[in-house]
Amino acid sequence: MISTKPSPPLWIGVAISFYAFIAIGLAEAGLGVLLPSILLEYNLNPATVTLLFVSQISGYILAALTSSVVNSRLGLGRMLFFAASMLTMALVIYALSPAWLLMVAAGTLFGLGVGLIDAGINTAIAQDDRSTHLIGLLHGFYGIGALSGAAIATTLLAIGINWRQVYGVLAAIVSLLMVSVFAAIIYRYPSMTRSKALSHSLAWQNLGRSLQIPLVLLTGLMLLIYVGLEASISNWAYIVQVSDRQIPALVSGYSVSAYWLGLTVGRFLLGYFLRSLGAVKTISMSLALLMIGLLAWWQLPEQWISLPMIGFALAPIFPATIWLIPKQLPESLVPAAVSFATSAASVGAALIPSGVGWIASWSGLGIIPLLMLPLAIAMIALHCANSLHKNLAQ
């Protein structure tokens, strides 16, 4: 009798994917709370500290151009292990760097790690019809990581832990992703060892074909602005609350966690909204609520509800947009399109907060809430253009 080896349970790959998004949420959201300490340590201002964001752009762009190709050649597991190694190394350098420019240089590793994880897992889930219902949960776990990162940084700073030690803690948590992916590769867990086996030229050809489709470009630009807005609030809200509005540091830090809590709750409810309203209407309602929340944060600085409201409004936009891609493009172009869109979004996470920091260095931190409004208006315009293009295509 031939014994067949039982296939590993599906939940292992899902759990690794969820933890990967917790890891990148931790890594990205912790910076906003630690930013004032970094400014003080290196004697920087809001303009010069944006070099840290700018340095990440090279890594994000590299991920945007190569993620679909690397995934097709190596498989998801090896790509995730490489990406987790890059991200952990960047956080360790942040913790130990004796010089500001070395910390800036590590931003490339940070951007590459986050970009590859984001693109690789989004592509895998968007392509798999059996797991597309997990897209909202996946991004909900990013929110769990982000609110935890902000809360951990706030709490450790409050009890007297140095910001470098905080980055050491975050690096240790993220390194667990390396361990879990490595174990999955060793035990040859299917979703982590299987590659698409596309030829190098075909993978690049699919990327080029996808970039010729206006819908892909509009989606990439939409997500670039979306993630730029999300990251700008994450990176700058704490320092706005503390330095401009004179709100106590502990309250300010936990208000950033409340922002991420609103986003997390919204993403865990995404499945309900998609079933009830559909993706396009869900995004439209989210953008309307976003404008209300941003106006409240700008005009009513003493109230506490605006940041969690903004987070809740932002929650559906990214995953719902990714969820739509396989329904609008040929199957062969989906990996390249998702990789481009998610990596373009990561570029926004560095580019837009950098621009916000430069403007704030000239006009004061109090202008940052106002700067979020044009970004939201641009998203509304792109969403309308995207919907019009889809209607014309039909």
Side-chain angles (χ1 to χ4, degrees):
M1 180 179 294
I2 300 175
S3 61
T4 58
K5 185 178 179 181
S7 59
L10 177 64
W11 69 263
I12 294 177
V14 173
I16 291 174
S17 298
F18 285 170
Y19 189 77
F21 266 57
I22 289 175
I24 61 176
L26 276 165
E28 291 189 318
L31 177 60
V33 175
L34 300 176
L35 205 56
S37 301
I38 297 172
L39 288 168
L40 185 63
E41 173 86 9
Y42 293 111
N43 193 26
L44 305 171
N45 58 48
T48 53
V49 80
T50 59
L51 284 175
L52 191 59
F53 306 140
V54 172
S55 70
Q56 296 171 6
I57 294 176
S58 58
Y60 291 136
I61 291 175
L62 185 58
L65 295 175
T66 63
S67 57
S68 62
V69 178
V70 173
N71 195 1
S72 70
R73 303 299 292 176
L74 299 182
L76 180 61
R78 289 183 176 86
M79 186 175 82
L80 286 182
F81 181 78
F82 172 76
S85 302
M86 295 298 100
L87 182 56
T88 302
M89 189 184 305
L91 294 174
V92 170
I93 294 173
Y94 285 178
L96 301 177
S97 173
W100 166 240
L101 290 181
L102 179 59
M103 188 174 180
V104 169
T108 298
L109 302 178
F110 186 99
L112 180 61
V114 171
L116 289 177
I117 292 170
D118 197 8
I121 294 178
N122 270 297
T123 301
I125 289 187
Q127 274 193 296
D128 190 344
D129 291 336
R130 299 168 301 171
S131 57
T132 50
H133 65 284
L134 297 175
I135 195 77
L137 293 178
L138 176 70
H139 289 269
F141 276 92
Y142 175 89
I144 289 176
L147 74 88
S148 300
I152 289 169
T154 299
T155 303
L156 293 180
L157 289 178
I159 63 176
I161 301 296
N162 184 272
W163 70 270
R164 293 182 182 276
Q165 295 170 308
V166 176
Y167 264 126
V169 171
L170 298 181
I173 297 172
V174 172
S175 69
L176 296 177
L177 176 61
M178 294 171 53
V179 176
S180 62
V181 174
F182 184 72
I185 294 172
I186 291 297
Y187 286 98
R188 303 191 64 79
Y189 184 74
S191 67
M192 293 292 159
T193 55
R194 187 189 308 120
S195 68
K196 297 297 180 183
L198 292 179
S199 70
H200 185 76
S201 59
L202 182 57
W204 282 109
Q205 184 181 19
N206 285 344
L207 177 61
R209 288 173 58 200
S210 69
L211 294 180
Q212 295 174 11
I213 300 174
L215 194 65
V216 174
L217 299 178
L218 287 172
T219 298
L221 183 57
M222 170 85 167
L223 292 184
L224 184 150
I225 296 174
Y226 162 80
V227 175
L229 192 156
E230 177 192 282
S232 294
I233 296 174
S234 173
N235 290 331
W236 294 111
Y238 177 81
I239 198 169
V240 168
Q241 305 289 83
V242 170
S243 300
D244 183 71
R245 297 180 172 179
Q246 306 302 313
I247 297 173
L250 197 61
V251 175
S252 298
Y254 288 133
S255 70
V256 176
S257 288
Y259 162 70
W260 289 114
L261 178 62
L263 183 137
T264 302
V265 171
R267 285 186 172 168
F268 279 117
L269 293 174
L270 177 62
Y272 168 78
F273 289 117
L274 289 179
R275 288 191 300 270
S276 302
L277 302 173
V280 174
K281 288 184 179 179
T282 297
I283 294 172
S284 299
M285 292 183 62
S286 297
L287 290 170
L289 183 60
L290 176 62
M291 287 297 298
I292 296 171
L294 290 173
L295 286 168
W297 189 41
W298 173 39
Q299 288 293 317
L300 305 170
E302 299 300 324
Q303 49 73 46
W304 57 270
I305 194 63
S306 59
L307 284 176
M309 182 190 297
I310 292 168
F312 186 81
L314 287 171
I317 298 173
F318 191 106
T321 302
I322 294 297
W323 185 80
L324 282 169
I325 290 177
K327 295 165 177 55
Q328 300 163 345
L329 296 177
E331 184 179 356
S332 62
L333 300 185
V334 169
V338 173
S339 296
F340 169 76
T342 54
S343 299
S346 297
V347 172
L351 186 64
I352 292 177
S354 300
V356 168
W358 277 96
I359 296 172
S361 70
W362 299 327
S363 305
L365 293 168
I367 199 174
I368 290 178
L370 175 60
L371 294 177
M372 299 301 101
L373 291 170
L375 296 175
I377 293 170
M379 287 169 59
I380 292 171
L382 283 168
H383 177 58
C384 293
N386 223 337
S387 300
L388 179 61
H389 186 274
K390 283 181 283 191
N391 291 334
L392 289 175
Q394 292 172 354

